């Protein structure tokens, strides 16, 4: 499975959604728009989904985080990201 599900907030990104979800709704972030799309399809009305990288033409290697992105990621209850090539340091 290419996507790694993390229940802790740790990453960077940019998104257009607010950082809070209504009561009973999981606040979720997909690293890329494709992951956010799948999260929304699976979770439906039970998830508030946003994505870190929204433009499919953006090179993820050139991404730079911002304080707004950090706040949104820290408020997420569920984060889905690509874990291929990730190493612990």
């Amino acid at each position: 499975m290419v996507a790694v599900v993390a229940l802790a907030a740790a990453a960077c990104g940019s998104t257009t959604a607010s950082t809070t979800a209504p009561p009973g709704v999981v606040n979720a972030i997909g690293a890329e728009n494709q992951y956010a799309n799948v999260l929304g399809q699976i979770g439906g009305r039970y998830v508030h989904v946003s994505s870190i990288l929204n433009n499919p033409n953006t090179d993820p290697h050139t991404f730079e985080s911002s304080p707004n992105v950090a706040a949104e990621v820290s408020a997420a209850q569920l984060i889905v990201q690509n874990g291929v090539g990730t190493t612990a340091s």
Side-chain angles (χ1 to χ4, degrees):
M1 181 171 177
V2 176
V4 175
V5 177
L7 295 175
C12 53
S14 84
T15 157
T16 58
S18 68
T19 59
T20 58
V25 175
V26 175
N27 199 13
I29 292 182
E32 287 90 12
N33 195 39
Q34 298 87 339
Y35 296 137
N37 185 0
V38 171
L39 281 169
Q41 290 180 41
I42 293 170
R45 65 182 179 161
Y46 301 105
V47 295
H48 176 261
V49 181
S50 58
S51 63
I52 294 171
L53 296 173
N54 297 314
N55 184 346
N57 296 320
T58 301
D59 180 0
H61 301 101
T62 62
F63 173 78
E64 293 186 28
S65 185
S66 70
N68 291 341
V69 170
E72 188 157 357
V73 169
S74 70
Q77 297 167 293
L78 176 69
I79 300 171
V80 176
Q81 65 183 19
N82 181 341
V84 175
T86 305
T87 60
S89 52

